[in-house]
Amino acid sequence: GKFAACGGGGGGGAAAAAPAAGGAGGGGAAGGAEKKEEKKVELRFNLMAIIADKLQKAEKQMEWQRFLRQRVNVSLLSRGEEIELEDEMDEDEAPSDVPSFEGLCEKEIPELKAMVVKCNAEIFRLKSIVTSEKELRETWKKENEQRKKDAIDRANKMAQMQAMEQMQMFQSMQASMQQGPAGAAPATGAAAAAPAGGQAASGDPAAAAAAALAALAPAAASSA
C-alpha cells in the first residue's frame, strides 16, 4: 500500500528536493555563525552546539539519501528491474522533501540507476562523517573522564597534605604543652621554698632571739 507503481504524475521532485536539503543545511550553518557572536562566557557552549550540529546534520542527510534510494529502487522494481532493497525505511517517517514515487516514475530507467549510484556514494561519504564524529565524541568522553579522575586525585592529595599538616601542628602543640609543666617544676619548688623560709624568718622575735642565744651558748662555753 505504501509503495505505488509508476503511473502518471508530476516530475521534477528530485531537482526541487536538492535545493531544499541544501537550504536546511545552510540554515543550520547560519544559526551556528550567529551563536559565535554572543558573549565570551557562552563561547564554549556555542562551539559545542555547532560541533554537535555537524553530527546531526550528517545523520539527517544520510537518512534523506536512504529514503530517496529506497523510493528509486521501488520505482525500478515496478518497471521489472531486478533490484535488491538495501534498506527497510518506514515511509511514514520520510521527510516531506524526498521525491515522490509519482515524480520518479517520470524518469527513465538509466537516470534512476544513476540516482541509485549517486545515493550510494553520498551515503558512504556521510557514514564516514558520522563514524568520525562519534569516535571524536568518544575520545572527548574518555578525556573528560580522565581529567575528572585527575582532578579528584589532586583534590584527595591536597586534602591528605592538609590533614597531615594539621596533625603535625596538633602534635607540636601537644608536645609544647607537655614540656611546659616539666620546666616549671623547679621554679614551683623554689617558689614553694621561699615562703617557708620567709615564714620562718618572719616568726616570733622572742623565739628568734632565744634560738640565737642557744646557738651562741656552745661557742661561749668552749671559749671559757
Side-chain angles (χ1 to χ4, degrees):
K2 293 180 182 178
F3 301 117
C6 285
E34 291 176 359
K35 289 181 179 180
K36 289 183 180 179
E37 298 176 359
E38 295 179 358
K39 295 179 180 179
K40 291 183 179 180
V41 234
E42 301 174 356
L43 180 60
R44 177 169 173 262
F45 301 100
N46 294 338
L47 290 174
M48 291 182 68
I50 293 169
I51 293 170
D53 181 66
K54 185 177 181 181
L55 175 61
Q56 295 173 1
K57 181 180 176 181
E59 288 177 336
K60 288 182 178 179
Q61 289 179 347
M62 184 169 64
E63 183 184 55
W64 191 92
Q65 292 290 339
R66 291 174 66 190
F67 274 112
L68 175 60
R69 181 176 64 182
Q70 177 170 276
R71 290 187 176 183
V72 173
N73 283 332
V74 169
S75 180
L76 289 170
L77 281 171
S78 68
R79 302 186 194 191
E81 296 291 324
E82 293 183 1
I83 299 294
E84 182 179 353
L85 296 177
E86 301 184 34
D87 294 319
E88 293 183 1
M89 309 292 291
D90 187 355
E91 282 294 324
D92 292 335
E93 299 177 359
S96 59
D97 57 345
V98 177
S100 64
F101 292 106
E102 292 80 6
L104 294 172
C105 287
E106 297 268 335
K107 301 182 180 298
E108 298 294 331
I109 290 179
E111 187 178 358
L112 293 174
K113 288 184 176 180
M115 289 177 66
V116 172
V117 172
K118 186 177 179 181
C119 286
N120 288 336
E122 189 65 10
I123 289 170
F124 179 80
R125 183 185 71 83
L126 293 168
K127 271 185 178 178
S128 65
I129 293 176
V130 170
T131 302
S132 175
E133 289 296 317
K134 286 183 177 180
E135 289 176 352
L136 184 61
R137 280 156 179 73
E138 188 63 28
T139 301
W140 289 345
K141 181 181 177 182
K142 291 179 180 178
E143 289 176 353
N144 288 336
E145 289 175 351
Q146 185 61 43
R147 280 194 289 268
K148 183 179 179 181
K149 181 179 179 299
D150 292 343
I152 292 174
D153 290 342
R154 285 194 297 269
N156 289 336
K157 287 180 181 178
M158 289 179 63
Q160 290 175 358
M161 290 176 63
Q162 290 178 353
M164 289 177 64
E165 290 176 357
Q166 291 178 356
M167 180 61 69
Q168 290 175 354
M169 290 176 61
F170 176 75
Q171 291 175 349
S172 177
M173 292 173 61
Q174 197 174 28
S176 299
M177 292 174 64
Q178 290 175 353
Q179 290 175 1
T188 303
Q199 187 176 4
S202 62
D204 186 5
L213 290 173
L216 291 174
S222 61
S223 60

